[in-house]
Amino acid sequence: MGFTMGLNLVLLLAMVATNILSLYHLSSTLQSPKPPTQQPVPNHLLHQLNTIRATISHLTRHQPPSTTPSPTTTKPSIPQDLLLYSHLSPIASSCHNHPDLLHKYMTYTPYSLCPLDSDLLAESLILRGCHPLPRRRCFSKTPPKPPSSLPHNPFPSSFLDSNVMWNKYPPCKSFSCLAKQSPGLGYDLNAEISKFMTYKTELDLPIPQLLQVAKSANSVIRLGIDIGGATGTFAARMKQYNVTVVTTTMNFNVPNNEVVAMRGLVPLHVPLQQRLPVFDGVLDLVRCGHAVNRWIPLPTMEFLFYDVDRVLRGGGYLWFDHFFSKRVDLDKVFGPLIGKLGYKKVKWAVGNKTDSSGSKNEEVYLTALLQKPVSK
């Protein structure tokens, strides 16, 4: 520190001396009564200037680098694999809004194990609209003992704890812990086994009734997608009726995707704002569960509805299962938005949402079964 300050002082004095000598020469020239002709610079002055310049050059070369970081050095460097991948495929525009997360996700050692927090970072980026994510060249760690075959029964008595990397989901290390810590999220198999099979209120639509409605309309339900299906209970129950349903689900710090796969079903790790990875007009049924609700921005919801229309065949069904919103919004906003689709109303039931949030915000549930016109 002392050396640097002293060096800076010497440089300052040298620069001042240079300026004084230059001014001296200039003033002597201006005071001359003769016409302004080119005056030769005295040899002694040239010698002094050259000496000062040589001293400044020598001191500058030997000055130690500054310890204060400049703006260019504090800017984080872009991971090499992110640069490489950006030349192979475009990066989603929303990814650029979260450079710190994206750089952290793409910072790894190629051809080795992926970092332990990869899944958490990936989902954080996906939920912020950074999807599809850039591909990476690292190996994902998986459970050491995968099951040898798919289960015949998608409602087993219990799920095997060894099929999950529990270090991703603290504090639980077992499914029994999850069932206690996260009630209602699909990990209590005793509660899950009765879902979609019983009729308690007008808001319920049991699967046998759904299939009967389709049969009465001379329609058929063979293929479907469950949007925001959590642990895949709906798809599991439909499998028992020989109907194939894939499930879109996010983990939200619980192993939803792993459980769907353990049931012998297909999980799709895609967010609500992602275009459904299904071709046009190939599905018979789309179910929108609790994940589709009033908290979704209206433009996002409208694009979602029309993307559902894209994948449904003519005569296919759109099922809103316990869609919740404020009553006034259902009447003035969401009801008209759904009505724009021009679908036939097979079922339209509204009931009060009786939990604390529902009572406070005057919320209601909507269960609606709509049929897409064949002409569309």
Side-chain angles (χ1 to χ4, degrees):
M1 179 67 73
F3 173 76
T4 303
M5 291 182 63
L7 187 56
N8 289 335
L9 183 60
V10 171
L11 288 171
L12 178 61
L13 292 174
M15 292 174 65
V16 171
T18 304
N19 291 332
I20 291 174
L21 289 171
S22 299
L23 288 172
Y24 167 76
H25 173 67
L26 181 62
S27 62
S28 62
T29 303
L30 292 174
Q31 292 173 2
S32 175
K34 296 181 180 179
T37 58
Q38 185 69 30
Q39 297 291 330
V41 180
N43 290 333
H44 71 279
L45 184 57
L46 284 174
H47 177 71
Q48 291 175 350
L49 288 171
N50 289 332
T51 301
I52 292 174
R53 287 171 182 160
T55 303
I56 293 175
S57 176
H58 174 77
L59 291 174
T60 303
R61 287 197 305 268
H62 289 82
Q63 184 176 8
S66 174
T67 56
T68 304
S70 64
T72 56
T73 58
T74 56
K75 185 177 180 180
S77 60
I78 300 176
Q80 289 299 313
D81 264 31
L82 179 58
L83 288 173
L84 175 61
Y85 189 80
S86 66
H87 294 293
L88 305 175
S89 179
I91 307 297
S93 59
S94 294
C95 297
H96 300 290
N97 297 329
H98 309 282
D100 292 342
L101 280 176
L102 181 62
H103 290 183
K104 189 174 181 181
Y105 176 73
M106 292 300 292
T107 300
Y108 63 94
T109 304
Y111 317 117
S112 62
L113 283 177
C114 298
L116 292 177
D117 60 352
S118 291
D119 292 341
L120 180 62
L121 284 172
E123 188 153 289
S124 296
L125 284 165
I126 290 172
L127 291 173
R128 288 167 170 81
C130 179
H131 194 272
L133 287 173
R135 288 175 171 170
R136 302 190 302 178
R137 298 180 296 170
C138 59
F139 298 101
S140 296
K141 194 171 183 180
T142 60
K145 295 181 180 180
S148 58
S149 61
L150 294 177
H152 296 290
N153 180 13
F155 291 90
S157 57
S158 62
F159 296 122
L160 291 177
D161 295 335
S162 58
N163 287 338
V164 174
M165 304 288 294
W166 290 103
N167 60 328
K168 303 176 184 178
Y169 310 110
C172 284
K173 301 293 182 183
S174 67
F175 283 108
S176 59
C177 171
L178 275 180
K180 295 176 182 177
Q181 296 239 350
S182 306
L185 294 185
Y187 295 96
D188 184 355
L189 288 171
N190 293 326
E192 293 298 296
I193 201 167
S194 62
K195 281 187 176 180
F196 306 107
M197 298 302 293
T198 58
Y199 183 92
K200 296 179 181 179
T201 72
E202 279 292 318
L203 294 170
D204 296 323
L205 180 59
I207 288 176
Q209 182 182 352
L210 169 67
L211 298 177
Q212 184 60 43
V213 166
K215 184 178 179 180
S216 300
N218 294 320
S219 187
V220 63
I221 296 179
R222 309 153 300 163
L223 299 171
I225 188 168
D226 187 14
I227 298 177
T231 58
T233 296
F234 176 69
R237 186 58 74 184
M238 292 295 279
K239 181 180 180 180
Q240 296 180 323
Y241 288 88
N242 200 30
V243 178
T244 300
V245 174
V246 295
T247 303
T248 75
T249 184
M250 303 299 288
N251 275 9
F252 298 112
N253 298 319
V254 290
N256 284 341
N257 281 271
E258 292 94 320
V259 170
V260 174
M262 288 164 60
R263 288 175 142 175
L265 307 169
V266 179
L268 298 177
H269 192 222
V270 295
L272 292 175
Q273 66 266 35
Q274 167 71 17
R275 184 178 188 266
L276 294 172
V278 181
F279 194 70
D280 298 5
V282 297
L283 297 182
D284 306 306
L285 173 69
V286 175
R287 173 184 174 267
C288 296
H290 283 203
V292 181
N293 57 65
R294 74 181 182 94
W295 295 113
I296 300 174
L298 198 61
T300 302
M301 185 177 293
E302 188 170 24
F303 275 105
L304 171 62
F305 289 174
Y306 282 90
D307 197 33
V308 167
D309 178 80
R310 176 185 64 81
V311 301
L312 272 178
R313 63 169 177 82
Y317 292 93
L318 169 58
W319 177 11
F320 290 100
D321 189 4
H322 286 75
F323 174 94
F324 71 87
S325 71
K326 293 183 177 181
R327 182 179 292 276
V328 64
D329 290 339
L330 179 61
D331 295 336
K332 295 184 178 181
V333 180
F334 300 116
L337 182 63
I338 295 171
K340 286 182 181 180
L341 295 172
Y343 286 13
K344 176 184 176 182
K345 290 183 180 180
V346 179
K347 179 183 177 74
W348 186 278
V350 178
N352 291 328
K353 189 170 179 281
T354 57
D355 59 10
S356 59
S357 174
S359 301
K360 178 181 178 181
N361 298 305
E362 298 183 352
E363 293 174 330
V364 295
Y365 280 125
L366 165 69
T367 291
L369 184 65
L370 311 172
Q371 187 176 25
K372 179 178 178 177
V374 177
S375 59
K376 279 200 172 185

